[in-house]
Short mmCIF file of all heavy atoms in Angstrom, two decimals:
data_model
loop_
_atom_site.label_atom_id
_atom_site.label_comp_id
_atom_site.label_asym_id
_atom_site.label_seq_id
_atom_site.Cartn_x
_atom_site.Cartn_y
_atom_site.Cartn_z
N GLY A 932 80.18 -149.11 77.99
CA GLY A 932 80.47 -147.96 78.86
C GLY A 932 79.39 -146.91 78.81
O GLY A 932 79.65 -145.73 79.11
N GLN A 933 78.16 -147.32 78.42
CA GLN A 933 77.02 -146.41 78.36
C GLN A 933 75.88 -146.99 79.19
O GLN A 933 74.87 -147.45 78.65
CB GLN A 933 76.59 -146.21 76.91
CG GLN A 933 77.66 -145.60 76.03
CD GLN A 933 77.20 -145.46 74.58
OE1 GLN A 933 76.34 -146.18 74.11
NE2 GLN A 933 77.79 -144.50 73.87
N PRO A 934 75.99 -146.99 80.51
CA PRO A 934 75.05 -147.72 81.36
C PRO A 934 73.66 -147.11 81.43
O PRO A 934 73.48 -145.89 81.37
CB PRO A 934 75.73 -147.65 82.74
CG PRO A 934 76.53 -146.38 82.70
CD PRO A 934 77.03 -146.28 81.29
N CYS A 935 72.69 -148.00 81.54
CA CYS A 935 71.31 -147.60 81.81
C CYS A 935 71.04 -147.73 83.31
O CYS A 935 71.47 -148.71 83.95
CB CYS A 935 70.32 -148.50 81.06
SG CYS A 935 70.27 -148.23 79.27
N ILE A 936 70.33 -146.78 83.85
CA ILE A 936 69.91 -146.80 85.25
C ILE A 936 68.43 -146.48 85.29
O ILE A 936 67.96 -145.56 84.59
CB ILE A 936 70.73 -145.80 86.10
CG1 ILE A 936 72.20 -146.20 86.10
CG2 ILE A 936 70.19 -145.74 87.52
CD1 ILE A 936 73.10 -145.23 86.81
N LEU A 937 67.69 -147.23 86.09
CA LEU A 937 66.24 -147.05 86.19
C LEU A 937 65.89 -146.26 87.43
O LEU A 937 66.47 -146.47 88.50
CB LEU A 937 65.54 -148.41 86.23
CG LEU A 937 65.87 -149.37 85.08
CD1 LEU A 937 65.17 -150.70 85.30
CD2 LEU A 937 65.48 -148.78 83.74
N LEU A 938 64.93 -145.36 87.29
CA LEU A 938 64.46 -144.54 88.40
C LEU A 938 62.99 -144.82 88.64
O LEU A 938 62.21 -144.89 87.68
CB LEU A 938 64.66 -143.06 88.08
CG LEU A 938 64.32 -142.06 89.19
CD1 LEU A 938 65.45 -142.02 90.21
CD2 LEU A 938 64.10 -140.67 88.62
N LYS A 939 62.62 -145.00 89.89
CA LYS A 939 61.20 -145.18 90.21
C LYS A 939 60.84 -144.38 91.45
O LYS A 939 61.65 -144.19 92.35
CB LYS A 939 60.84 -146.65 90.40
CG LYS A 939 61.25 -147.29 91.69
CD LYS A 939 60.82 -148.74 91.73
CE LYS A 939 60.95 -149.34 93.12
NZ LYS A 939 59.94 -148.82 94.06
N MET A 940 59.59 -143.91 91.44
CA MET A 940 59.07 -143.19 92.60
C MET A 940 58.55 -144.18 93.63
O MET A 940 58.00 -145.22 93.28
CB MET A 940 57.92 -142.26 92.19
CG MET A 940 58.34 -140.95 91.60
SD MET A 940 56.96 -139.76 91.55
CE MET A 940 56.32 -140.06 89.91
N ASN A 941 58.70 -143.85 94.90
CA ASN A 941 58.11 -144.66 95.95
C ASN A 941 56.59 -144.61 95.85
O ASN A 941 56.01 -143.59 95.48
CB ASN A 941 58.56 -144.17 97.33
CG ASN A 941 60.05 -144.36 97.56
OD1 ASN A 941 60.70 -145.12 96.86
ND2 ASN A 941 60.58 -143.66 98.55
N ARG A 942 55.96 -145.72 96.19
CA ARG A 942 54.50 -145.79 96.13
C ARG A 942 53.86 -145.07 97.31
O ARG A 942 54.25 -145.28 98.46
CB ARG A 942 54.05 -147.25 96.12
CG ARG A 942 54.54 -148.04 94.92
CD ARG A 942 54.08 -149.49 95.00
NE ARG A 942 54.56 -150.26 93.88
CZ ARG A 942 54.27 -151.54 93.68
NH1 ARG A 942 53.50 -152.19 94.55
NH2 ARG A 942 54.75 -152.19 92.63
N ILE A 943 52.88 -144.24 97.02
CA ILE A 943 52.13 -143.54 98.06
C ILE A 943 50.65 -143.69 97.72
O ILE A 943 50.21 -143.28 96.64
CB ILE A 943 52.50 -142.05 98.13
CG1 ILE A 943 54.00 -141.89 98.42
CG2 ILE A 943 51.67 -141.34 99.20
CD1 ILE A 943 54.48 -140.45 98.38
N ILE A 944 49.89 -144.29 98.62
CA ILE A 944 48.47 -144.54 98.37
C ILE A 944 47.73 -143.22 98.16
O ILE A 944 47.83 -142.29 98.97
CB ILE A 944 47.84 -145.32 99.54
CG1 ILE A 944 48.46 -146.73 99.62
CG2 ILE A 944 46.33 -145.44 99.37
CD1 ILE A 944 47.96 -147.55 100.79
N GLY A 945 47.02 -143.15 97.03
CA GLY A 945 46.18 -141.99 96.75
C GLY A 945 46.89 -140.81 96.14
O GLY A 945 46.26 -139.82 95.80
N TYR A 946 48.21 -140.90 95.98
CA TYR A 946 48.97 -139.75 95.50
C TYR A 946 48.78 -139.55 94.00
O TYR A 946 48.83 -140.50 93.22
CB TYR A 946 50.45 -139.95 95.82
CG TYR A 946 51.34 -138.78 95.43
CD1 TYR A 946 51.13 -137.52 95.97
CD2 TYR A 946 52.39 -138.96 94.53
CE1 TYR A 946 51.95 -136.46 95.62
CE2 TYR A 946 53.21 -137.90 94.18
CZ TYR A 946 52.98 -136.65 94.74
OH TYR A 946 53.79 -135.61 94.39
N ARG A 947 48.57 -138.30 93.60
CA ARG A 947 48.45 -137.93 92.19
C ARG A 947 49.55 -136.94 91.86
O ARG A 947 49.39 -135.73 92.05
CB ARG A 947 47.08 -137.32 91.91
CG ARG A 947 45.91 -138.23 92.29
CD ARG A 947 44.58 -137.60 91.96
NE ARG A 947 43.47 -138.32 92.57
CZ ARG A 947 42.20 -138.01 92.41
NH1 ARG A 947 41.87 -136.96 91.65
NH2 ARG A 947 41.25 -138.71 93.01
N PRO A 948 50.68 -137.43 91.39
CA PRO A 948 51.84 -136.55 91.18
C PRO A 948 51.62 -135.53 90.09
O PRO A 948 50.92 -135.77 89.10
CB PRO A 948 52.95 -137.52 90.79
CG PRO A 948 52.23 -138.70 90.23
CD PRO A 948 50.95 -138.80 90.99
N GLY A 949 52.20 -134.36 90.30
CA GLY A 949 52.21 -133.34 89.26
C GLY A 949 50.97 -132.49 89.12
O GLY A 949 50.92 -131.60 88.28
N ALA A 950 49.94 -132.78 89.92
CA ALA A 950 48.69 -131.99 89.86
C ALA A 950 48.16 -131.88 88.43
O ALA A 950 47.82 -130.79 87.97
CB ALA A 950 48.90 -130.61 90.48
N GLY A 951 48.13 -133.01 87.72
CA GLY A 951 47.57 -133.02 86.38
C GLY A 951 48.59 -132.89 85.26
O GLY A 951 48.25 -133.02 84.08
N VAL A 952 49.85 -132.65 85.61
CA VAL A 952 50.93 -132.55 84.62
C VAL A 952 51.98 -133.60 84.95
O VAL A 952 52.45 -133.67 86.09
CB VAL A 952 51.57 -131.15 84.62
CG1 VAL A 952 52.70 -131.08 83.60
CG2 VAL A 952 50.53 -130.08 84.34
N PRO A 953 52.38 -134.45 83.98
CA PRO A 953 53.34 -135.52 84.28
C PRO A 953 54.64 -135.00 84.90
O PRO A 953 55.16 -133.96 84.49
CB PRO A 953 53.61 -136.15 82.91
CG PRO A 953 52.38 -135.84 82.11
CD PRO A 953 51.92 -134.49 82.59
N VAL A 954 55.13 -135.74 85.89
CA VAL A 954 56.40 -135.41 86.53
C VAL A 954 57.54 -135.87 85.62
O VAL A 954 57.51 -136.97 85.08
CB VAL A 954 56.50 -136.09 87.90
CG1 VAL A 954 57.89 -135.92 88.50
CG2 VAL A 954 55.45 -135.52 88.85
N SER A 955 58.54 -135.01 85.45
CA SER A 955 59.68 -135.33 84.58
C SER A 955 60.94 -135.53 85.40
O SER A 955 61.01 -135.20 86.59
CB SER A 955 59.89 -134.22 83.56
OG SER A 955 60.20 -133.00 84.21
N VAL A 956 61.97 -136.07 84.74
CA VAL A 956 63.25 -136.35 85.39
C VAL A 956 64.36 -135.61 84.66
O VAL A 956 64.36 -135.52 83.42
CB VAL A 956 63.56 -137.87 85.35
CG1 VAL A 956 64.91 -138.16 85.99
CG2 VAL A 956 62.46 -138.65 86.07
N GLU A 957 65.28 -135.05 85.40
CA GLU A 957 66.48 -134.46 84.82
C GLU A 957 67.69 -134.87 85.63
O GLU A 957 67.60 -135.12 86.84
CB GLU A 957 66.38 -132.93 84.75
CG GLU A 957 66.45 -132.23 86.10
CD GLU A 957 66.56 -130.71 85.95
OE1 GLU A 957 66.61 -130.22 84.80
OE2 GLU A 957 66.61 -130.03 86.99
N CYS A 958 68.85 -134.97 84.97
CA CYS A 958 70.08 -135.38 85.63
C CYS A 958 71.19 -134.38 85.33
O CYS A 958 71.24 -133.81 84.23
CB CYS A 958 70.51 -136.78 85.16
SG CYS A 958 69.35 -138.10 85.56
N LYS A 959 72.06 -134.21 86.30
CA LYS A 959 73.20 -133.31 86.12
C LYS A 959 74.32 -133.75 87.06
O LYS A 959 74.12 -134.59 87.96
CB LYS A 959 72.80 -131.87 86.44
CG LYS A 959 72.35 -131.65 87.88
CD LYS A 959 71.92 -130.20 88.11
CE LYS A 959 71.48 -129.99 89.56
NZ LYS A 959 71.06 -128.58 89.81
N VAL A 960 75.51 -133.20 86.85
CA VAL A 960 76.62 -133.46 87.76
C VAL A 960 76.31 -132.80 89.09
O VAL A 960 76.01 -131.60 89.15
CB VAL A 960 77.94 -132.93 87.18
CG1 VAL A 960 79.07 -133.05 88.20
CG2 VAL A 960 78.31 -133.69 85.91
N GLN A 961 76.34 -133.58 90.14
CA GLN A 961 75.94 -133.04 91.45
C GLN A 961 76.97 -132.07 92.02
O GLN A 961 76.64 -131.07 92.62
CB GLN A 961 75.73 -134.22 92.42
CG GLN A 961 75.06 -133.81 93.74
CD GLN A 961 76.06 -133.69 94.88
OE1 GLN A 961 77.16 -134.24 94.81
NE2 GLN A 961 75.68 -132.98 95.92
N LYS A 962 78.24 -132.37 91.77
CA LYS A 962 79.30 -131.50 92.27
C LYS A 962 80.56 -131.77 91.45
O LYS A 962 80.96 -132.92 91.28
CB LYS A 962 79.57 -131.77 93.76
CG LYS A 962 80.56 -130.82 94.40
CD LYS A 962 80.72 -131.14 95.87
CE LYS A 962 81.69 -130.18 96.55
NZ LYS A 962 81.87 -130.48 97.99
N GLY A 963 81.16 -130.72 90.93
CA GLY A 963 82.39 -130.90 90.17
C GLY A 963 82.25 -130.40 88.74
O GLY A 963 81.47 -129.48 88.46
N ASN A 964 82.98 -131.02 87.85
CA ASN A 964 83.06 -130.59 86.45
C ASN A 964 81.82 -131.03 85.69
O ASN A 964 81.61 -132.22 85.45
CB ASN A 964 84.33 -131.17 85.80
CG ASN A 964 84.62 -130.53 84.46
OD1 ASN A 964 83.72 -130.03 83.78
ND2 ASN A 964 85.89 -130.54 84.07
N GLU A 965 80.99 -130.09 85.28
CA GLU A 965 79.75 -130.42 84.59
C GLU A 965 79.97 -131.09 83.24
O GLU A 965 79.12 -131.81 82.74
CB GLU A 965 78.90 -129.15 84.41
CG GLU A 965 78.39 -128.56 85.72
CD GLU A 965 77.49 -127.36 85.51
OE1 GLU A 965 77.26 -126.99 84.33
OE2 GLU A 965 77.03 -126.78 86.52
N SER A 966 81.13 -130.85 82.63
CA SER A 966 81.42 -131.44 81.32
C SER A 966 81.67 -132.94 81.40
O SER A 966 81.76 -133.61 80.37
CB SER A 966 82.63 -130.75 80.69
OG SER A 966 83.82 -131.04 81.43
#
């Protein structure tokens, strides 16, 4: 009951994400009880 989910960015030719700083991921409850 502790599932893993993988996230990936779409490929864009020539794109350098984050302007020199790695892009990070955060997750939260989108709507409803945050607990």
Side-chain angles (χ1 to χ4, degrees):
Q933 299 178 335
C935 288
I936 297 175
L937 306 177
L938 185 78
K939 76 179 192 72
M940 279 195 267
N941 294 343
R942 298 178 181 182
I943 301 175
I944 295 176
Y946 183 60
R947 303 182 192 182
V952 179
V954 172
S955 62
V956 178
E957 70 171 359
C958 297
K959 62 182 180 180
V960 173
Q961 191 258 340
K962 186 178 181 180
N964 192 334
E965 294 183 0
S966 67

